[in-house]
Amino acid sequence: VVGDASNPAIYDGRLRRFDRRLLFVKPNWVVIHDRVETDGVPRRLDWLLHAHTQEAFPGDAAAATFAVVRPDARLDGRFLHPAGLRMRVDRSFDIAPQKPRASVFLPWDEVQPEWTLTAGPPEPVAAADLLAVMAVGRAGEDVPSAIPLRRIETDNALGCHLPTPFGSALILLRRRTGVGMLEAEGLSCDGDAVAVLRTPGGDLLNAFAARATPLTLAPRRLLHRQAPGDWALHAGAQPQ
């Protein structure tokens, strides 16, 4: 899924581009890739995550990780790009909400606590790619950890390997200024995003490409078309 969040009415014309791309890799992973450009002036860019937890949820700037635990679910996340992100978790608001149709503040013990993770490049920038991955699951489930993920960085792409119950997913996403073929570990594609899922033995299970014409997973050509388009292959994978 791709969304354009650069509405001038929201950012006062200071943001020229804000493409947010979301990729869901079943059953647990959400990949978030933001491609951002300001109006040419270096500006502070903040990536926000809000959560209703009783206490401030943990965010580790050195490890670029964060975790949100709720009674019925949990989320474990990690920033893969850029390096050296600043990060902090603060109370979302310092003034209590008011009662409906009354200028009376609610007592704090009646207010659902909310905390906000703020992360971003350490210095003001005129453009940036931000890549985060989050593993989500129900309470009690064996949610994979985002900490040991192997990330991939090439001249024109960002990506990573994601462990799943089916096998390993290789993800490549085109950088904001990336041109040419996305290539890594035998995978080659001219699209904006590509993902392949393989068994531990290396057999292909699933594949996806966005705005692509050729897609090759050496030595197999999986896709060849005349015009760019979205494409997916599902081989009926079962967990193993």
Side-chain angles (χ1 to χ4, degrees), residues 181-196:
M181 299 291 288
L182 307 182
E183 295 180 322
E185 303 179 17
L187 180 62
S188 179
C189 180
D190 68 343
D192 282 345
V194 59
V196 294

Side-chain angles (χ1 to χ4, degrees), residues 5 11 13 31 38 41 45 56 79 82 92 126 131 175 187 213-214 216 231:
Y11 296 104
V31 181
T38 73
V41 178
L45 301 179
F79 289 97
S92 298
L131 180 62
R175 290 179 186 259
L187 180 62
T213 48
T216 300
W231 172 87

Side-chain angles (χ1 to χ4, degrees), residues 151-166:
R151 63 184 179 183
I152 300 169
E153 294 198 10
T154 69
D155 289 341
N156 63 356
L158 301 170
C160 62
H161 284 270
L162 299 177
T164 80
F166 308 89

Side-chain angles (χ1 to χ4, degrees), residues 140-218:
E141 286 184 346
D142 185 16
V143 178
S145 173
I147 296 177
L149 290 183
R150 182 158 61 91
R151 63 184 179 183
I152 300 169
E153 294 198 10
T154 69
D155 289 341
N156 63 356
L158 301 170
C160 62
H161 284 270
L162 299 177
T164 80
F166 308 89
S168 178
L170 170 59
I171 313 296
L172 290 178
L173 303 164
R174 186 173 298 278
R175 290 179 186 259
R176 179 183 50 83
T177 57
V179 296
M181 299 291 288
L182 307 182
E183 295 180 322
E185 303 179 17
L187 180 62
S188 179
C189 180
D190 68 343
D192 282 345
V194 59
V196 294
L197 177 65
R198 290 177 285 192
T199 68
D203 294 330
L204 178 66
L205 294 176
N206 293 335
F208 165 78
R211 295 185 53 79
T213 48
L215 168 60
T216 300
L217 182 62

Side-chain angles (χ1 to χ4, degrees), residues 12-210:
D12 246 358
R14 291 173 292 181
L15 205 58
R16 184 168 56 202
R17 179 182 185 182
F18 181 5
D19 299 334
R20 168 156 286 184
R21 302 194 288 178
L22 299 176
L23 177 65
F24 176 44
V25 180
K26 295 181 178 180
N28 299 105
W29 293 105
V30 179
V31 181
I32 305 175
H33 180 205
D34 294 324
R35 302 192 292 190
V36 183
E37 296 177 6
T38 73
D39 54 0
V41 178
R43 299 189 183 278
R44 169 175 165 158
L45 301 179
D46 288 341
W47 190 103
L48 305 177
L49 176 71
H50 308 283
H52 289 158
T53 54
Q54 291 300 121
E55 305 292 338
F57 57 89
D60 185 337
T65 59
F66 52 94
V68 178
V69 179
R70 294 282 291 155
D72 297 324
R74 66 173 293 131
L75 177 155
D76 289 280
R78 179 184 171 196
F79 289 97
L80 299 182
H81 186 86
L85 282 174
R86 56 181 167 79
M87 181 191 300
R88 59 183 296 171
V89 178
D90 300 295
R91 189 183 295 274
S92 298
F93 43 85
D94 295 322
I95 299 176
Q98 293 184 342
K99 295 182 178 181
R101 298 179 296 279
S103 297
V104 178
F105 291 104
L106 288 168
W108 278 110
D109 59 2
E110 296 182 17
V111 176
Q112 169 66 60
E114 181 179 298
W115 301 86
T116 298
L117 167 74
T118 303
E123 303 294 338
V125 294
D129 282 85
L130 294 95
L131 180 62
V133 293
M134 299 186 295
V136 296
R138 294 184 176 89
E141 286 184 346
D142 185 16
V143 178
S145 173
I147 296 177
L149 290 183
R150 182 158 61 91
R151 63 184 179 183
I152 300 169
E153 294 198 10
T154 69
D155 289 341
N156 63 356
L158 301 170
C160 62
H161 284 270
L162 299 177
T164 80
F166 308 89
S168 178
L170 170 59
I171 313 296
L172 290 178
L173 303 164
R174 186 173 298 278
R175 290 179 186 259
R176 179 183 50 83
T177 57
V179 296
M181 299 291 288
L182 307 182
E183 295 180 322
E185 303 179 17
L187 180 62
S188 179
C189 180
D190 68 343
D192 282 345
V194 59
V196 294
L197 177 65
R198 290 177 285 192
T199 68
D203 294 330
L204 178 66
L205 294 176
N206 293 335
F208 165 78

